[in-house]
Amino acid sequence: LRKGAGTPAGTLTPQGRIRLPDGSPGRFDDVTGYGFTLVAADDATTALGPERLARLERLGCAVVALDTVDDLDGRHREYLQLLGAVAYLARPDFVLFGTAADTTDLGALVDDLDAALSGTVGAAV
């Protein structure tokens, strides 16, 4: 879990229904996959940059921008508002790893996940 973020890290993330741009609807995890998932209100590719995106891809992490899918139940947008975040990162067991308060913090969130998984000193546990 991400340390010191002041969020409910360690709690379950929501399971809602979404529809992809191609029209495919389904439960969130059935549509996006069962690995790590970064859910952002808007497209996060610019804020993350190519290096961080490559790290997420190596982890098999789905990156979902809610402005590109139809959040059929509104659960994921509502969850971001509840968290006061622009993005959240869920583990494969659907537990909240941490959140990003703004686009600057988004990169730090990915770095913290990388540090936690690599066992870097001072990493979140």
Side-chain angles (χ1 to χ4, degrees):
L1 303 177
R2 189 175 194 200
K3 283 187 171 184
T7 64
T11 60
L12 289 176
T13 57
Q15 170 66 287
R17 296 176 312 117
I18 63 170
R19 181 177 302 128
L20 296 178
D22 68 2
S24 305
R27 289 169 37 110
F28 188 84
D29 58 356
D30 290 336
V31 175
T32 62
Y34 301 102
F36 287 99
T37 307
L38 178 66
V39 179
D42 301 307
D43 182 14
T45 56
T46 301
L48 291 174
E51 181 184 318
R52 287 185 178 112
L53 287 170
R55 281 191 275 161
L56 291 174
E57 186 175 334
R58 282 191 300 275
L59 288 173
C61 180
V63 179
V64 179
L66 293 178
D67 65 344
T68 63
V69 300
D70 188 2
D71 185 8
L72 297 171
D73 304 320
R75 296 193 68 193
H76 299 281
R77 285 199 179 279
E78 183 179 290
Y79 188 59
L80 282 175
Q81 290 175 348
L82 176 72
L83 295 171
V86 298
Y88 70 87
L89 203 154
R91 301 181 330 194
D93 59 359
F94 312 110
V95 169
L96 180 65
F97 171 78
T99 64
D102 54 36
T103 55
T104 302
D105 193 30
L106 192 53
L109 176 63
V110 172
D111 293 344
D112 288 348
L113 175 64
D114 190 43
L117 293 175
S118 67
T120 303
V121 174
V125 287

